[in-house]
Amino acid sequence: MGDWMTVTDPGLSAESKNISQYTSETKMSPSSLYSQQVLCSSVPLSKNVHSFFSAFCTEENIEQSISYLDQELTTFGFPSLYEEPKSKEAKKELNIVAVLNCMNELLVLQRKNLLAQENVETQNLKLGSDMDHLQSCYAKLKEQLETSRREIVGLQERDRQLQCKNRNLHQLLKNEKDEVQKLQNIIASRATQYNHDMKRKEREYNKLKERLHQLVMSKKDKKIAMDVLNYVGRADGKRGSWRTGKTEARNEDEMYKILLNDYEYRQKQILMENAELKKVLQQMKKEMISLLSPQKKKPREKADESTGTVISDVEEDAGELSRESMWDLSCETVREQLTNSIRKQWRILKSHVEKLDNQVSKVHLEGFNDKDVISRQDHEQETEKLELEIQQCKEMIKTQQQLLQQLATACDDDTTSLFRDCYLLEEKERLKEEWSLFKEQKKNFERERRSFTEAAIRLGLERKAFEEERASWLKQQFLNMTTFDHQNSENVKLLSAFSGSSDQDNRTVHSKPQQKKPPSVSHGSPVCTSNVTKSLPASPTLDSCQMSSCVSEHSSISVLNITPEEMKPNEVGRECTNQTWSVASRPGSQEGCYGGCSLTYTSSHVQKDDLP
Amino acid sequence: MNFSEVFKLSSLLCKFSPDGKYLASCVQYRLVVRDVSTLQILQLYTCLDQVQHMEWSADSLFILCAMYKRGLVQLRITVWSLCTKSVSYIKYPKACQQGITFTRDGRYMALAERRDCKDYVSIFVCSDWQLLRHFDTDTQDLAGMEWAPNGCVLAVWDSCLEYKMLLYSLDGRLLSVYSAYEWSLGIKSVAWSPSSQFLAVGSYDGKVRLLNHVTWKMTTEFGHPAAVSNPKTVVYREAEKSPPPGLGHLSFPPSRAGTRPLAALESKYEIASVPVSLQTLKPAADRANPRMGVGMLAFSHDSYFLATRNDNVPNAVWVWDIQKLRLFVVLEQLAPVRSFQWDPQQPRLAICTAGSKVYLWSPAGCMSVQVPGEGDFPVLSLCWHSSGDSLALLSKDHFCLCFLEPAEGRAALGQQDSRT
């Protein structure tokens, strides 16, 4: 935002200036039809301005134009171009300094304006693109809105329908309920009716029965009743007892005895069951205690919660309950104690188990954390991907093997050349580039060498001159000395000549390594060229080339770095396309070669296509 | 497994004596008493008319034969003493499905009475026919009652128009009232478990409800759906095959194998894979006594199993595991099940379907046995000997005995099991 503000400000000011310019222009001199044009065709067209200026001022109208400019400038708040007149009559003098200042200021202004305009333009561009973006966003959103509106309408419609349905169902339910109620009422009334009828019928039936009974009884007396012909004697010879109050009481007694027996039997059973359950409880308790005792010291040491006290309670209880007599007591207190202690222990056990569970889950979590928590899905995806890759690689290897075999068996000239072309095209290109570089370098070096040799020659010449000078000087000296004879002087000459030549040789040998080394390197094997180029002093061309390559590499890398994250969902699909490519390239041996070559190309192409 | 020869019979009147020594059967107006082991006739009595009912006395010394044609109109219950000349009369007995019931030990008798359009129950002491208790029951139309095997609780239920089960103590106290639902046909069958622990109530809604003896509330209910889907349930399905030529089909060599009809179809059980849907019958809803609901119920002697039949799935017998309170086995027959009865000694169920076969099930497996003999022998009913070693198979005009030596029976079952 801050950036924006700073950028917009000059723009605004420029605009305001523009406007002010414009307004001043309107009430301005007749001469500037051009200026209007210029203003219309925007200020920064400097050439236009130039031409305008050339047309604006001519030999004839210098005064006029100066005054006009003066007028103009004063309206803009510049100091007057004229010198302050000393008197009214005195002709106004053009103040060159003021003019120059004005010019300078105008130029500064112009530059500023240009800058501002540039800013404004970029701003404008930005805004335009923003606008486009926003418009597209807006359109999209509008579409979304529309679709969601439609959806809402659809849903509302569905809702309405469902509500309608619901209402209908409610109505139906109500109807059904009413129906059920009605039917129940009918059933109830029918039932009462039926019962009533039944009662009536039964009464009638009873009456009829009574009548029948009477008829049967009155007609045939007792004769018709069944008789036992031969009575069976009792095995024990007893006679049946008479029915008396005593027997009645006895029967009651017996009945209650039976009932009591039954209840006693049941009670016994229940007692037995209880004993069994108690035994089970006791055993459970013991096991719990034994289970909990080894780790009960820990909580006590930690002195957290009240587990320690509970456990001590438990121990006491255990001590108490281990007494056999406790089992026979089934009074409330014992039961309470037992259930309470069991409950406590159970609670401890539960908390312990929960703790263990927590620990286990924690351990699991930690384990996961150690490995940066790879979710199972990711893992599977990854393995799937890797498998795919392996598949692809295998395929590649197969094709390569095929190709190799082909190469080995049928050394067709065309194919080999093609092959080489395929493989060496890039290399060649690179080599060519390097070659040209080297050539240039070579040229440089040669130039240097030449200069060196020239320098050496010059040096040699100088030395020669020096030598000659010395010789002449020595000669003079020699000549000056009268003691020297002719032979000696000759010797000296020879010696000096010898020493001079050897000196020169030394010089050349010394300078040679500097001259000869670079060319020998430039002719070196192309394998280590990259190393050499790096070690070489960076010439401007080379530097820029490297820079650009570096930049391009960097950009591509950065893009590639971004893509995997952004394109993750597409990644599988992309690999699928790769896969299909490799599959498609399989058939045919010759085609396989092309396919293999094109594969790398297409895959890279695909990757590029995928880039946003 | 051996079969006796076929004897004549009428009205399905054939009964073992309670002590297991004798077998009484009626042929028209004759009563034949045989020795169970030899099947020789010990006594032959001739009655004045066709015998319509026959019963052993509890001490196996006497047999009662009833000829209703010669009966008199009696609107009361008359109790004759066989040793003394005393006669007792009980008025107002109610004529209903099961209006009279004795306790197992024969000490008490409960009788349903109807007076002034109200139901009453009278409990008599059988030793001197003294009225012990008399109370009215809260029923519209009492349909049946039954003592618990321990003789301390009396279950009384209403007619099928209303689901109502009342439980009375021996001293006439109402222990509990149970009603599963309203406004629909109610109780169809009732059975006490031999331990008196459970009361199974089969009803017209095709469910069996088990009431417990402590709270007299429902412990569980067993539905009888036509589709069995629980994989833990074993479904045995009877399959019929024409026997292959040769002697391979003589897996149970009967004593008179030569007389066996050649055209008989061999049937055996196959284990059907769950889920299984059973054949159902659509009951006519507009007729009285619709063929629906649980009409037959029987606990095994050890109370571990309960066998039921849902009348609208007439071909199937459900066997429930009472310990685990779940469906254990379903046997689907080819024909409607006519009758089933538990072995009084071990958990073994005999089933007949009015075909010439008898079916046996035990937890080890199940098998079907062809009844040998000339012509068809449609087994309409069966009854076990008290020892569980033999079984009387009754058809319309004949009966025969089927002997199951314990070891042999088990071996046969095992063999069957391995075969299926």
Side-chain angles (χ1 to χ4, degrees):
Chain A
M1 267 321 265
D3 222 29
W4 265 67
M5 285 307 284
T6 51
V7 170
T8 44
D9 257 346
L12 272 171
S13 66
E15 206 156 355
S16 69
K17 266 174 198 162
N18 246 353
I19 287 162
S20 64
Q21 237 173 354
Y22 192 77
T23 45
S24 66
E25 197 83 23
T26 46
K27 55 173 179 179
M28 218 192 30
S29 76
S31 66
S32 55
L33 249 166
Y34 284 104
S35 73
Q36 286 248 359
Q37 270 182 354
V38 168
L39 274 171
C40 284
S41 63
S42 83
V43 186
L45 294 170
S46 54
K47 267 191 183 174
N48 226 348
V49 171
H50 265 293
S51 66
F52 155 66
F53 274 124
S54 64
F56 171 64
C57 186
T58 50
E59 291 290 323
E60 296 95 54
N61 62 352
I62 287 175
E63 283 298 307
Q64 234 178 323
S65 31
I66 286 169
S67 68
Y68 165 66
L69 280 178
D70 179 55
Q71 203 183 335
E72 271 297 283
L73 288 170
T74 44
T75 55
F76 282 126
F78 288 102
S80 175
L81 294 180
Y82 296 105
E83 267 179 70
E84 204 59 30
K86 272 133 195 167
S87 62
K88 284 266 178 176
E89 290 93 57
K91 201 184 167 226
K92 284 189 208 168
E93 280 286 324
L94 187 69
N95 188 352
I96 306 280
V97 177
V99 168
L100 288 178
N101 281 338
C102 272
M103 285 266 280
N104 186 42
E105 221 158 309
L106 277 172
L107 279 173
V108 167
L109 253 178
Q110 169 76 359
R111 205 164 295 143
K112 253 195 220 164
N113 280 344
L114 276 177
L115 211 75
Q117 199 199 2
E118 213 169 288
N119 280 342
V120 164
E121 266 171 8
T122 52
Q123 192 79 30
N124 197 21
L125 266 174
K126 244 192 232 169
L127 285 173
S129 66
D130 276 2
M131 187 77 174
D132 282 350
H133 177 68
L134 285 174
Q135 261 170 355
S136 67
C137 273
Y138 172 72
K140 244 186 245 167
L141 286 173
K142 214 172 173 185
E143 225 166 89
Q144 267 183 14
L145 186 72
E146 198 57 37
T147 50
S148 44
R149 226 178 240 158
R150 242 175 281 138
E151 251 172 63
I152 284 168
V153 168
L155 287 174
Q156 271 173 347
E157 178 59 23
R158 240 177 63 195
D159 188 45
R160 199 186 58 75
Q161 279 174 359
L162 285 175
Q163 266 178 354
C164 214
K165 222 177 180 178
N166 194 19
R167 225 173 294 134
N168 285 345
L169 285 174
H170 265 296
Q171 193 58 43
L172 273 174
L173 184 70
K174 208 178 151 198
N175 287 350
E176 287 296 315
K177 268 186 185 165
D178 286 352
E179 189 76 17
V180 165
Q181 193 60 47
K182 222 162 67 185
L183 284 173
Q184 269 183 353
N185 287 342
I186 288 171
I187 287 173
S189 68
R190 286 257 175 93
T192 50
Q193 179 80 29
Y194 168 79
N195 285 336
H196 192 72
D197 283 0
M198 279 300 285
K199 266 177 196 167
R200 200 157 47 78
K201 288 255 168 73
E202 209 174 325
R203 274 193 199 112
E204 275 173 34
Y205 167 69
N206 280 343
K207 261 182 217 162
L208 281 171
K209 235 162 61 171
E210 203 67 30
R211 178 121 181 81
L212 180 73
H213 193 67
Q214 275 173 9
L215 280 173
V216 168
M217 281 294 124
S218 61
K219 234 193 222 168
K220 301 238 166 142
D221 298 333
K222 284 171 194 169
K223 258 282 170 200
I224 223 155
M226 291 205 302
D227 276 330
V228 177
L229 291 178
N230 303 305
Y231 286 98
V232 192
R234 275 180 167 249
D236 51 7
K238 268 189 201 165
R239 294 180 64 192
S241 53
W242 292 104
R243 216 183 281 173
T244 55
K246 225 173 131 185
T247 56
E248 208 168 303
R250 207 190 62 219
N251 283 336
E252 285 277 306
D253 282 356
E254 246 170 52
M255 181 194 80
Y256 281 121
K257 223 183 263 173
I258 286 171
L259 278 178
L260 260 177
N261 278 341
D262 181 54
Y263 281 121
E264 267 171 17
Y265 171 70
R266 272 163 75 172
Q267 204 208 353
K268 231 179 254 171
Q269 274 191 327
I270 286 167
L271 272 177
M272 261 158 63
E273 211 176 309
N274 260 350
E276 287 282 310
L277 289 174
K278 270 184 190 166
K279 233 184 256 173
V280 169
L281 257 181
Q282 169 81 346
Q283 203 183 340
M284 220 164 85
K285 205 165 135 68
K286 267 183 194 161
E287 273 170 21
M288 267 186 179
I289 287 168
S290 64
L291 195 80
L292 288 170
S293 53
Q295 39 135 98
K296 89 178 81 156
K297 271 146 203 163
K298 281 183 201 166
R300 227 180 241 173
E301 280 165 19
K302 285 178 194 167
D304 60 348
E305 300 164 52
S306 60
T307 40
T309 58
V310 168
I311 282 160
S312 65
D313 274 6
V314 163
E315 278 174 332
E316 280 167 31
D317 286 355
E320 271 178 55
L321 281 169
S322 57
R323 273 179 265 143
E324 281 297 309
S325 59
M326 286 295 286
W327 289 111
D328 299 329
L329 296 171
S330 62
C331 60
E332 300 274 310
T333 50
V334 174
R335 204 175 59 201
E336 229 163 79
Q337 270 183 11
L338 190 75
T339 49
N340 276 347
S341 67
I342 286 279
R343 245 175 235 156
K344 275 176 198 162
Q345 279 167 333
W346 176 245
R347 235 172 278 148
I348 295 166
L349 193 70
K350 207 175 144 190
S351 68
H352 180 63
V353 166
E354 273 169 4
K355 226 187 280 167
L356 281 179
D357 270 356
N358 279 343
Q359 277 176 0
V360 164
S361 62
K362 247 183 222 168
V363 164
H364 267 279
L365 271 176
E366 275 164 17
F368 276 127
N369 279 337
D370 284 346
K371 289 171 190 174
D372 263 333
V373 190
I374 297 163
S375 78
R376 200 200 169 107
Q377 221 176 358
D378 284 356
H379 200 83
E380 276 169 9
Q381 269 184 1
E382 202 64 27
T383 49
E384 223 167 272
K385 229 197 283 179
L386 286 173
E387 269 170 20
L388 253 171
E389 249 168 68
I390 287 168
Q391 195 72 24
Q392 280 179 340
C393 287
K394 273 183 185 167
E395 214 105 349
M396 280 281 269
I397 287 165
K398 212 183 267 177
T399 50
Q400 276 178 350
Q401 272 176 343
Q402 272 182 357
L403 291 172
L404 274 173
Q405 271 182 352
Q406 260 186 357
L407 257 175
T409 50
C411 237
D412 219 57
D413 270 320
D414 278 333
T415 47
T416 46
S417 66
L418 265 169
F419 226 84
R420 262 178 209 154
D421 278 356
C422 292
Y423 276 106
L424 301 177
L425 211 65
E426 226 174 321
E427 193 93 359
K428 228 181 204 174
E429 206 74 22
R430 216 175 52 222
L431 282 174
K432 230 180 242 173
E433 259 178 26
E434 275 174 32
W435 187 247
S436 61
L437 269 174
F438 275 116
K439 262 185 182 169
E440 216 159 320
Q441 273 179 317
K442 198 177 161 187
K443 240 181 251 167
N444 283 346
F445 280 124
E446 223 122 28
R447 220 181 292 141
E448 264 177 271
R449 195 167 67 168
R450 223 174 290 139
S451 63
F452 267 119
T453 44
E454 271 171 9
I457 287 163
R458 225 182 293 137
L459 255 175
L461 285 173
E462 272 173 2
R463 177 172 286 223
K464 218 179 191 175
F466 175 68
E467 231 28 71
E468 271 170 5
E469 221 174 317
R470 199 171 71 163
S472 64
W473 181 73
L474 276 172
K475 206 172 161 181
Q476 220 161 9
Q477 199 126 15
F478 185 71
L479 286 175
N480 286 349
M481 284 184 358
T482 48
T483 50
F484 274 99
D485 57 286
H486 179 72
Q487 262 198 334
N488 237 357
S489 69
E490 273 225 0
N491 256 351
V492 168
K493 204 174 184 179
L494 264 170
L495 210 151
S496 67
F498 179 77
S499 65
S501 69
S502 71
D503 227 309
Q504 204 179 353
D505 265 12
N506 270 350
R507 272 290 171 102
T508 48
V509 165
H510 186 70
S511 64
K512 238 179 190 170
Q514 282 184 345
Q515 286 175 328
K516 275 190 179 167
K517 213 176 183 178
S520 74
V521 166
S522 72
H523 285 294
S525 65
V527 180
C528 55
T529 45
S530 58
N531 273 340
V532 171
T533 47
K534 264 173 200 168
S535 65
L536 278 173
S539 66
T541 51
L542 199 134
D543 203 43
S544 66
C545 181
Q546 261 188 338
M547 275 284 280
S548 65
S549 73
C550 196
V551 164
S552 68
E553 236 180 311
H554 181 74
S555 65
S556 70
I557 282 163
S558 69
V559 166
L560 280 170
N561 275 348
I562 290 159
T563 46
E565 285 157 21
E566 286 180 346
M567 306 305 291
K568 228 172 194 171
N570 278 352
E571 216 154 58
V572 175
R574 195 167 69 200
E575 281 191 2
C576 276
T577 58
N578 277 356
Q579 175 75 16
T580 52
W581 269 106
S582 67
V583 164
S585 71
R586 215 192 289 167
S589 52
Q590 198 136 333
E591 276 178 329
C593 154
Y594 286 123
C597 296
S598 65
L599 167 66
T600 51
Y601 183 71
T602 43
S603 64
S604 69
H605 189 70
V606 166
Q607 273 186 338
K608 264 176 198 163
D609 274 358
D610 274 351
L611 298 177
Chain B
M1 185 180 280
N2 287 313
F3 287 88
S4 72
E5 59 180 303
V6 173
F7 304 106
K8 281 197 171 174
L9 183 76
S10 64
S11 314
L12 299 175
L13 291 173
C14 173
K15 270 171 188 169
F16 290 104
S17 66
D19 62 2
K21 282 182 185 162
Y22 312 108
L23 175 70
S25 61
C26 293
V27 186
Q28 305 295 339
Y29 53 87
R30 275 187 303 245
L31 172 69
V32 187
V33 181
R34 290 169 205 271
D35 188 275
V36 167
S37 50
T38 61
L39 290 178
Q40 281 184 338
I41 297 174
L42 296 175
Q43 282 291 343
L44 197 140
Y45 300 102
T46 310
C47 297
L48 295 171
D49 217 326
Q50 177 155 10
V51 180
Q52 283 170 296
H53 185 77
M54 181 263 287
E55 206 151 342
W56 281 93
S57 69
D59 56 4
S60 307
L61 293 176
F62 307 102
I63 302 174
L64 175 145
C65 288
M67 287 138 272
Y68 295 138
K69 276 184 193 169
R70 292 193 161 249
L72 301 166
V73 175
Q74 288 256 320
L75 300 165
R76 63 187 180 196
I77 286 179
T78 312
V79 185
W80 288 274
S81 166
L82 295 182
C83 16
T84 62
K85 291 195 173 181
S86 65
V87 177
S88 305
Y89 299 102
I90 302 168
K91 272 176 93 180
Y92 311 114
K94 179 165 182 170
C96 61
Q97 185 194 340
Q98 201 173 337
I100 186 164
T101 174
F102 289 89
T103 56
R104 287 271 160 103
D105 56 5
R107 243 187 241 259
Y108 301 102
M109 180 190 85
L111 179 74
E113 295 175 6
R114 185 87 177 174
R115 286 182 213 173
D116 300 329
C117 306
K118 268 190 78 68
D119 289 316
Y120 296 87
V121 169
S122 294
I123 296 173
F124 293 94
V125 181
C126 295
S127 58
D128 54 7
W129 300 108
Q130 195 167 25
L131 182 68
L132 189 67
R133 284 289 182 275
H134 178 78
F135 49 87
D136 61 330
T137 60
D138 187 21
T139 48
Q140 285 293 327
D141 180 17
L142 190 150
M145 46 202 227
E146 191 165 337
W147 284 106
N150 64 7
C152 291
V153 182
L154 180 70
V156 175
W157 60 93
D158 212 334
S159 74
C160 65
L161 293 176
E162 201 169 349
Y163 196 116
K164 196 171 210 175
M165 175 63 78
L166 301 141
L167 292 145
Y168 290 95
S169 169
L170 179 60
D171 54 358
R173 281 179 302 126
L174 177 66
L175 294 172
S176 178
V177 181
Y178 177 74
S179 173
Y181 51 84
E182 278 182 308
W183 308 120
S184 191
L185 289 177
I187 295 168
K188 194 166 189 180
S189 55
V190 173
W192 280 97
S193 77
S195 62
S196 305
Q197 214 174 353
F198 293 111
L199 177 66
V201 184
S203 52
Y204 279 91
D205 64 345
K207 281 178 181 164
V208 171
R209 291 174 176 83
L210 277 190
L211 309 185
N212 70 75
H213 74 308
V214 181
T215 62
W216 300 111
K217 293 211 170 90
M218 192 180 75
T219 299
T220 188
E221 64 176 30
F222 296 141
H224 291 71
V228 180
S229 55
N230 189 342
K232 284 184 178 170
T233 305
V234 182
V235 180
Y236 291 104
R237 187 172 261 166
E238 188 192 358
E240 215 161 46
K241 265 196 263 178
S242 50
L247 296 167
H249 59 286
L250 297 171
S251 52
F252 307 106
S255 53
R256 299 181 301 131
T259 58
R260 184 194 177 103
L262 290 170
L265 290 171
E266 194 181 64
S267 91
K268 63 170 202 165
Y269 281 108
E270 286 169 351
I271 293 179
S273 57
V274 183
V276 173
S277 58
L278 306 165
Q279 278 187 356
T280 53
L281 212 90
K282 197 145 190 204
D286 53 346
R287 296 247 184 96
N289 301 318
R291 279 193 184 177
M292 58 186 282
V294 179
M296 284 158 81
L297 276 176
F299 277 97
S300 67
H301 80 286
D302 52 5
S303 306
Y304 282 1
F305 297 104
L306 171 69
T308 60
R309 191 191 83 156
N310 187 7
D311 292 349
N312 46 348
V313 191
N315 292 11
V317 176
W318 276 265
V319 180
W320 306 85
D321 188 335
I322 297 301
Q323 276 181 305
K324 289 172 184 165
L325 293 176
R326 64 174 182 84
L327 184 58
F328 189 53
V329 163
V330 177
L331 301 163
E332 195 183 16
Q333 310 296 137
L334 287 169
V337 174
R338 288 296 288 258
S339 167
F340 55 71
Q341 201 172 19
W342 287 96
D343 183 331
Q345 295 298 327
Q346 46 176 307
R348 186 157 61 168
L349 185 70
I351 303 164
C352 61
T353 62
S356 57
K357 294 180 194 75
V358 64
Y359 306 92
L360 288 172
W361 174 86
S362 79
C366 57
M367 64 176 187
S368 69
V369 183
Q370 173 78 38
V371 178
E374 291 157 42
D376 226 13
F377 191 97
V379 184
L380 296 177
S381 179
L382 39 77
C383 63
W384 283 93
H385 185 258
S386 55
S387 67
D389 292 342
S390 57
L391 185 66
L393 309 175
L394 319 180
S395 78
K396 199 164 158 271
D397 324 294
H398 296 93
F399 79 93
C400 72
L401 284 190
C402 168
F403 298 100
L404 298 131
E405 275 89 60
E408 194 200 328
R410 243 164 246 145
L413 282 173
Q415 185 191 349
Q416 180 70 25
D417 198 38
S418 64
R419 225 165 24 131
T420 49

